[in-house]
Amino acid sequence: MDHGAENVMSGTTHGPVVQAGRVNDIHFHHHEPRAPVIPRQLPPAPRLFTGRRRELADLDRWFDAEDALVAVVSGPGGVGKTSLALRWLHTARTRFPDGQLYVELGAHSPGGPATPSEVLEWFLLALGTPAAEIPLEVSRRQALFRTLTADRRLALLLDDAVSAAQIRPLLPTSPHSAVLVTSRWRLSGLAVDGARFVDVESFDLNASLELLEHALGPRVTSEPDAARELAHLCGGLPIALSVVGARLSTHPRRTLSGEVGSLRTERLGSLSVDGGVSVEAVFDLSYVELPARHARIYRLCSVNPGTSFGLGAAAAAADEPPPDIAPVLADLVDKNLLSEVGDERYGYHDLLRAHARQHAEWHSAAERDAALWRVVQWYLDGAVAADRVVVPDRPRVGPRYEVAPAAFGRVAEALGWLETERGNLVNATREAADHGRHDLAWQLAEAQWGLYLHRRHLTDWVTTFEIGARAARRAGHAVAESRLRLQLAIGYVELGRREDASREVSRALDLGKAAGDLGSVSTALRQLGRIARAGGDAEGALTYFRHSLAVATELGRPRSVALAHRRIGEALTDLGRLEEAVAEFTEAGQILADLGQRVELARLRGVMARPLLELDRVDEAARLLEAAHPVLAETGSPAYLAAVLLPLADVAERRNDPAKARLHLRAAADAYTAVGEPVPDDIGSRLTT
């Protein structure tokens, strides 16, 4: 055995210790949906809740009287629809032991409303469906969702809906479920689905005064006339009353009468709600009283492409250091002009976001645009820094990879950031493309590769790389377009769209050849082989893989050579040519060991165990897997860890140790649940037998 083979078999490596991730990797496992998990997705209950006794009683009565409940909670913006829905669902949560699902449908979000297909994907994942088994067509997703919910006691909050058509595919079939929909429209079309309707109106005088008392205490009773007038001027809208209450609570010497006088003289504007009540006057009064720096940050944070943002994004918008901006954001939260939606994470109420954006436009469109592109580039730099950690050694073409600062030390930390900011990253990609900043759009897409590789999110995956590939074409960057089309193709394969995948790989191959980019050519050939192998054509796959090896060898890129050897080994394993497969894996391992490709070498050992076990070389397989296990555990990727734990279970079974086999299977399942992902069926089914 040569020196490289000894490295592979013994579990030792030479060269620097470098973590590497998966590059252009596709998994073709067939899973049936397994037993669903219990999701707990509701946001926290509102801290202050006033009135709505009749509406809560109606919801109680309808749920008790009906086999299932669909209720549309409608009313103008700022009236407290979501608070009402959350209050009832939290109070009634014991009635729904099988979980609660929540989605913000985004009727008024910057990125536009969510589609039923997107929401069904999120719900199916939350209910335990392996991502590879989620169909592409919305009708099939709907059918699967109905099957999974048929016998469950579930609560759903579908927040900020735009239409009945958006809602109808999301209704479960369980006779014991409850679905609450919030919308500014009544969505009368849902009546045919048995919906009940809760029309949420502005607070009456007593409820308005009660809310003000929560904020201001005895000041309300000491100025009863002014308090009543204040409630009238706020139109009974909880959001307006909350803003006024927050402002007055920070000015204990200000009288309610003085506040009334200010509101009476403040101009009325266009930010109105049904019935002609304007809330812009209320928001304007709080806005004009802000210190200039606070007002600027309030305006500029509203350009964030998603619905929530962290301290770093806010600092980028304001062009100030994060420690300097944190107290300002805290003050805006205290004034109810921002909401704190997580640890150092913020968001606007819809009306306040519109108000802030309006003032950003009025104050200076140039300042607003500069803030937008600072934020977009901040997300790009963060994604680049995270992607470098998640998949550190893959070839890239984006110039930011040369200049973006290091920000993450571990794979799990980097993936966590990408996951948290996923909505902002997708919307930033779309925003850049829509504004003709194609250079930023394709770079953002490229930088999200590690996220989708590890965590899938297939709808966002395909959307992002479709935008990115178009943007690269419009930017005239053929190499970037080729590589983005390869990554788009993998998303298509994961969705079962192999014809689309083949088309994109063929385009990428042509682009790579025309640009003289042998790296793209080698990768495209490797992906054509993977598609052929997934279709059961192992001989055809072997031809593609060997062609890829020839190109990679000509290119002189050792890592690509190693990957080609690995793929050849997989095809040979499929063909039953086991000794040849082991030789190919050994060659790949020698190269990866010499390069210090620690994670890729560990992953190779996982696939090499299969032919070794079939050859009854159990001890050799065990040594490889035991060496790979701690390395893959460090990545935080459940798929990587499962890829070594499953063959370890096979080793234990070969050694007649079912208890140890079960421990490995349980560890694989726990790796998925630890990151909130469903457990694949090949693990779950083995645990239940």
Side-chain angles (χ1 to χ4, degrees), residues 203-206 208-210 212 216 219-237 240-241 244 247-248 255-266 268 277-278 281-282 285:
F203 278 160
D204 61 17
L205 177 61
N206 290 334
S208 296
L209 293 175
E210 187 179 342
L212 287 173
L216 303 174
R219 294 165 70 184
V220 172
T221 55
S222 67
E223 292 187 81
D225 292 339
R228 285 192 291 272
E229 180 66 12
L230 200 56
H232 172 72
L233 289 170
C234 288
L237 284 178
L241 289 162
V244 168
R247 183 169 65 253
L248 285 171
T255 65
L256 272 64
S257 301
E259 186 76 2
V260 167
S262 297
L263 277 173
R264 281 175 172 165
T265 58
E266 183 69 29
L268 295 181
V277 177
S278 172
V282 175
L285 192 58

Side-chain angles (χ1 to χ4, degrees), residues 400-635:
R400 293 275 172 166
Y401 283 93
E402 302 298 325
V403 298
F408 305 97
R410 296 170 52 249
V411 172
E413 178 189 3
L415 277 173
W417 185 90
L418 289 165
E419 189 72 65
T420 298
E421 302 296 356
R422 176 164 55 98
N424 285 313
L425 290 168
V426 175
N427 284 332
T429 306
R430 184 182 290 112
E431 188 110 30
D434 289 347
H435 285 80
R437 294 296 304 269
H438 303 302
D439 57 326
L440 293 177
W442 74 254
Q443 290 182 69
L444 277 159
E446 180 187 38
Q448 293 173 63
W449 175 238
L451 168 64
Y452 299 122
L453 207 55
H454 283 71
R455 298 291 172 82
R456 298 169 66 84
H457 304 299
L458 295 177
T459 299
D460 284 348
W461 178 338
V462 168
T463 297
T464 297
F465 287 100
E466 285 176 342
I467 294 171
R470 287 195 301 268
R473 185 179 72 248
R474 290 168 181 165
H477 203 308
V479 173
E481 182 185 354
S482 176
R483 297 186 183 188
L484 291 168
R485 289 196 183 280
L486 288 170
Q487 292 159 346
L488 172 60
I490 297 171
Y492 283 149
V493 169
E494 295 282 4
L495 288 168
R497 297 167 58 179
R498 290 192 178 127
E499 289 186 6
D500 291 334
S502 295
R503 181 193 67 240
E504 293 301 324
V505 174
S506 296
R507 289 180 179 176
L509 182 59
D510 291 341
L511 285 164
K513 288 178 178 178
D517 179 29
L518 293 182
S520 291
V521 171
S522 177
T523 301
L525 290 167
R526 199 162 63 243
Q527 295 313 323
L528 287 171
R530 311 255 339 246
I531 294 169
R533 182 174 174 235
D537 182 9
E539 286 286 1
L542 188 59
T543 300
Y544 279 122
F545 292 148
R546 284 180 166 154
H547 192 179
S548 174
L549 174 61
V551 175
T553 302
E554 178 186 352
L555 179 63
R557 187 173 289 167
R559 189 172 185 277
S560 294
V561 170
L563 291 174
H565 278 298
R566 171 186 165 173
R567 301 310 172 201
I568 292 170
E570 290 172 341
L572 289 169
T573 301
D574 293 342
L575 293 167
R577 296 159 61 177
L578 303 179
E579 294 287 359
E580 293 176 72
V582 170
E584 292 289 341
F585 287 138
T586 301
E587 181 69 20
Q590 176 181 337
I591 298 169
L592 293 172
D594 290 343
L595 292 173
Q597 293 280 301
R598 189 166 172 259
V599 173
E600 281 294 346
L601 179 57
R603 295 183 64 238
L604 173 73
R605 288 167 174 160
V607 296
M608 187 173 175
R610 178 185 162 195
L612 288 173
L613 286 172
E614 292 187 29
L615 290 166
D616 205 29
R617 293 158 63 175
V618 178
D619 290 343
E620 293 178 52
R623 285 196 298 272
L624 291 182
L625 294 168
E626 287 162 2
H629 179 223
V631 178
L632 296 181
E634 293 174 7
T635 67

Side-chain angles (χ1 to χ4, degrees), residues 21-57:
R22 174 172 63 171
V23 177
N24 291 334
D25 203 4
I26 317 173
H27 290 284
F28 298 108
H29 301 304
H30 181 73
H31 305 302
E32 295 298 328
R34 56 173 275 103
V37 295
I38 299 178
R40 305 289 186 189
Q41 296 185 337
L42 286 183
R47 289 178 295 175
L48 294 177
F49 186 83
T50 299
R52 308 302 187 199
R53 296 173 183 84
R54 175 184 58 80
E55 293 88 345
L56 291 170

Side-chain angles (χ1 to χ4, degrees), residues 120 124 135 137-150 169 171 173:
L120 285 168
L124 290 169
E137 300 85 352
V138 66
S139 59
R140 294 179 60 204
R141 290 184 176 188
Q142 183 181 5
L144 180 56
F145 178 65
R146 287 175 172 172
T147 299
L148 292 178
T149 59
L171 299 179
T173 55

Side-chain angles (χ1 to χ4, degrees), residues 130-217:
E133 290 299 317
I134 297 176
L136 178 63
E137 300 85 352
V138 66
S139 59
R140 294 179 60 204
R141 290 184 176 188
Q142 183 181 5
L144 180 56
F145 178 65
R146 287 175 172 172
T147 299
L148 292 178
T149 59
D151 299 314
R152 303 192 76 189
R153 292 181 176 270
L154 281 170
L156 285 74
L157 175 52
L158 310 178
D159 201 17
D160 197 21
V162 70
S163 68
Q166 186 188 33
I167 294 299
R168 193 165 287 115
L170 310 179
L171 299 179
T173 55
S174 167
H176 309 294
S177 63
V179 180
L180 267 61
V181 182
T182 71
S183 179
R184 295 191 189 177
W185 300 278
R186 200 165 189 267
L187 308 186
S188 300
L190 290 175
V192 298
D193 301 280
R196 302 280 192 150
F197 297 90
V198 181
D199 297 320
V200 182
E201 299 177 349
S202 301
F203 278 160
D204 61 17
L205 177 61
N206 290 334
S208 296
L209 293 175
E210 187 179 342
L211 191 151
L212 287 173
E213 281 190 66
H214 278 305
L216 303 174

